[in-house]
Amino acid sequence: LAKTTQPISMDSYEGQEVNITCSHNNIATNDYITWYQQFPSQGPRFIIQGYKTKVTNEVASLFIPADRKSSTLSLPRVSLSDTAVYYCLVRYNFGNEKLTFGTGTRLTIIP
Amino acid sequence: GAVVSQHPSWVICKSGTSVKIECRSLDFQATTMFWYRQFPKQSLMLMATSNEGSKATYEQGVEKDKFLINHASLTLSTLTVTSAHPEDSSFYICSASIHNSPLHFGNGTRLTVT
């Protein structure tokens, strides 16, 4: 299982773009990169998933360089409601492989 | 999108009693479900992998006789905390796997053992 490393915490002001980088040096060829958001006392919520280059959806973008050893979650124009813990995970997408969570990044948005 | 429902959302029980937590996949069939435990300010810790029709696979350090998992159908897995003690108080979260798709998580169950 690929191990991930991300900053423990980050602060940002409302309205700014936030970029959270995750390193996954031993990612395997068939692994996908997935980001989850978790609010207190709730289960993790899927944000975005990608394999390479760039993926964008209505809430975030995911940038993955060619070597795939890291990825960056980009949250545009954050608001107070984006205060949460963000987890980066890698997983073999075509099977039922278990998912192991790292420490996550605790993002605090400042008014 | 796929929905995973967990019940109850919170439960308080007395020390020595058993508590059952249900995890259902509402609009899809899940051959595999995962059970996690999360203590305050900590990350999710995988407890076990639940496979439909077969025995669960437990992570190292998790007592299979204390945390009973049953996955009798493709839409339901249950976790029973037997003879609960205060140190079992935690946030328990299940997730379900669909082939070729991200994991979907339930909203968790807050267990408090008094």
Side-chain angles (χ1 to χ4, degrees):
Chain A
L1 295 173
K3 178 180 167 60
T4 61
T5 303
Q6 51 185 125
I8 298 291
S9 64
M10 291 180 69
D11 294 339
S12 180
Y13 288 98
E14 271 192 295
Q16 292 191 332
E17 177 185 82
V18 171
N19 296 310
I20 306 174
T21 297
C22 177
S23 64
H24 26 79
N25 291 319
N26 60 339
I27 189 169
T29 302
N30 292 321
D31 282 340
Y32 278 68
I33 300 155
T34 311
W35 285 79
Y36 288 86
Q37 175 192 55
Q38 187 184 28
F39 297 113
S41 296
Q42 293 187 26
R45 184 174 73 100
F46 170 79
I47 301 174
I48 197 166
Q49 177 172 288
Y51 184 81
K52 62 180 180 181
T53 62
K54 177 184 175 182
V55 179
T56 297
N57 62 22
E58 62 275 8
V59 297
S61 294
L62 179 60
F63 298 92
I64 305 167
D67 66 4
R68 302 197 332 118
K69 292 183 183 298
S70 67
S71 60
T72 299
L73 173 72
S74 181
L75 304 173
R77 298 180 298 282
V78 293
S79 63
L80 294 176
S81 62
D82 293 315
T83 294
V85 179
Y86 292 82
Y87 293 98
C88 156
L89 300 100
V90 296
R91 174 178 180 241
Y92 180 63
N93 200 51
F94 297 96
N96 292 323
E97 181 184 306
K98 59 187 179 184
L99 210 55
T100 302
F101 282 77
T103 58
T105 297
R106 187 172 297 274
L107 175 65
T108 302
I109 306 303
I110 305 164
Chain B
V3 176
V4 175
S5 174
Q6 227 176 299
H7 179 80
S9 57
W10 60 271
V11 58
I12 301 173
C13 71
K14 291 187 176 181
S15 189
T17 61
S18 295
V19 172
K20 180 184 286 188
I21 302 170
E22 293 186 347
C23 180
R24 294 180 184 272
S25 54
L26 295 185
D27 53 358
F28 65 99
Q29 293 183 326
T31 55
T32 302
M33 291 185 177
F34 303 94
W35 287 95
Y36 292 84
R37 180 167 54 181
Q38 186 175 35
F39 293 105
K41 304 272 189 206
Q42 294 187 22
S43 184
L44 284 77
M45 184 186 76
L46 180 66
M47 298 175 68
T49 302
S50 170
N51 300 297
E52 188 267 335
S54 65
K55 291 183 179 180
T57 304
Y58 290 82
E59 295 300 301
Q60 191 173 8
V62 178
E63 300 174 58
K64 61 179 171 56
D65 295 328
K66 179 169 184 61
F67 299 99
L68 301 179
I69 292 173
N70 184 280
H71 194 156
S73 78
L74 287 170
T75 59
L76 174 64
S77 175
T78 60
L79 168 69
T80 301
V81 183
T82 63
S83 188
H85 291 285
E87 57 265 30
D88 297 322
S89 297
S90 188
F91 192 54
Y92 292 86
I93 308 169
C94 72
S95 68
S97 174
I98 310 174
H99 183 72
N100 197 21
S101 182
L103 275 183
H104 300 274
F105 290 83
N107 257 339
T109 298
R110 172 79 56 197
L111 170 63
T112 302
V113 184
T114 60

